[in-house]
Amino acid sequence: MGSIILAIVLMWFSGPAEVDKATESTEKPKTEVESPVIVERKDGKIIWQLRAKEAKQQLDGKMHLILPVLTLFTQQNREVIINGEQAWFEPLQRNIHFQSQVNVNYEGWAMQTESLIYDSTMDEVHIPESFSIKGKTISARGKDMHLQRSSDRITVDGGIWIQDSDPKWQGVK
């Protein structure tokens, strides 16, 4: 009973709300979150974890992320760490599209690109544009790379150039 009376008193003193029809339809959503963390699990294991400095909800339902960091966990217990200036997260499909100065760190090598997409349904990272890779003994450049999270399998469809100062892995002496 006391809650009902309190609600009536608060409504009485708040007065009528003014609505501006001109700004109502064009106003951007006010949903903003600082330091969000989103975790994807499957069969009790963490598949990936997404963190950002800030997230803003857009009208199309996507989340615009500022300074996002995506950590993918492979079946072989390796981490693939992806970060960039900004990304868009699609909550329904669970896809993440990184844009602008994207960096990937994986097993002793680092990759730079301008665009990267994590497709949750295919469980794969796709780098549609050009990329460059630097490691201890290797440097590479290419275009159109796919990385399967679960199997660590990497394919490059757009061509690749590789230089290795220690080519023992190729069987060369």
Side-chain angles (χ1 to χ4, degrees):
M1 187 70 161
S3 298
I4 296 172
I5 293 172
L6 180 62
I8 293 171
V9 169
L10 288 175
M11 287 176 44
W12 180 266
F13 286 113
S14 67
E18 292 183 24
V19 177
D20 184 6
K21 297 289 184 188
T23 59
E24 184 179 290
S25 61
T26 60
E27 189 173 305
K28 293 182 180 179
K30 301 271 189 214
T31 307
E32 191 172 313
V33 179
E34 286 188 36
S35 303
V37 177
I38 303 167
V39 177
E40 179 76 17
R41 297 176 190 270
K42 183 176 182 181
D43 299 328
K45 290 186 173 184
I46 297 176
I47 303 289
W48 55 261
Q49 180 182 58
L50 178 63
R51 295 177 175 270
K53 180 180 179 185
E54 183 179 301
K56 296 178 184 177
Q57 184 74 38
Q58 296 182 167
L59 291 173
D60 61 2
K62 294 179 184 176
M63 295 287 294
H64 181 225
L65 307 171
I66 307 299
L67 299 176
V69 177
L70 173 65
T71 305
L72 301 175
F73 299 93
T74 69
Q75 294 286 346
Q76 294 73 24
N77 295 320
R78 296 181 182 133
E79 291 183 5
V80 179
I81 300 172
I82 303 165
N83 63 59
E85 287 187 8
Q86 60 183 340
W88 288 265
F89 174 66
E90 301 172 17
L92 297 178
Q93 296 88 6
R94 317 262 319 148
N95 296 335
I96 307 156
H97 184 182
F98 282 79
Q99 196 71 36
S100 189
Q101 296 183 12
V102 182
N103 299 297
V104 180
N105 292 303
Y106 176 70
E107 286 290 300
W109 54 264
M111 180 178 67
Q112 290 82 37
T113 187
E114 286 299 310
S115 180
L116 179 143
I117 301 163
Y118 175 71
D119 185 327
S120 187
T121 55
M122 295 183 68
D123 198 14
E124 121 177 326
V125 172
H126 180 217
I127 297 97
E129 296 181 13
S130 60
F131 60 86
S132 64
I133 296 174
K134 297 274 188 219
K136 288 181 183 177
T137 65
I138 192 170
S139 31
R141 291 189 313 262
K143 185 176 180 179
D144 199 14
M145 177 192 283
H146 297 266
L147 166 65
Q148 287 287 324
R149 184 207 56 84
S150 60
S151 67
D152 285 342
R153 183 174 178 211
I154 296 173
T155 57
V156 179
D157 296 328
I160 189 164
W161 171 88
I162 301 173
Q163 180 178 2
D164 193 346
S165 62
D166 187 21
K168 292 179 186 173
W169 62 272
Q170 297 175 342
V172 178
K173 295 184 180 186

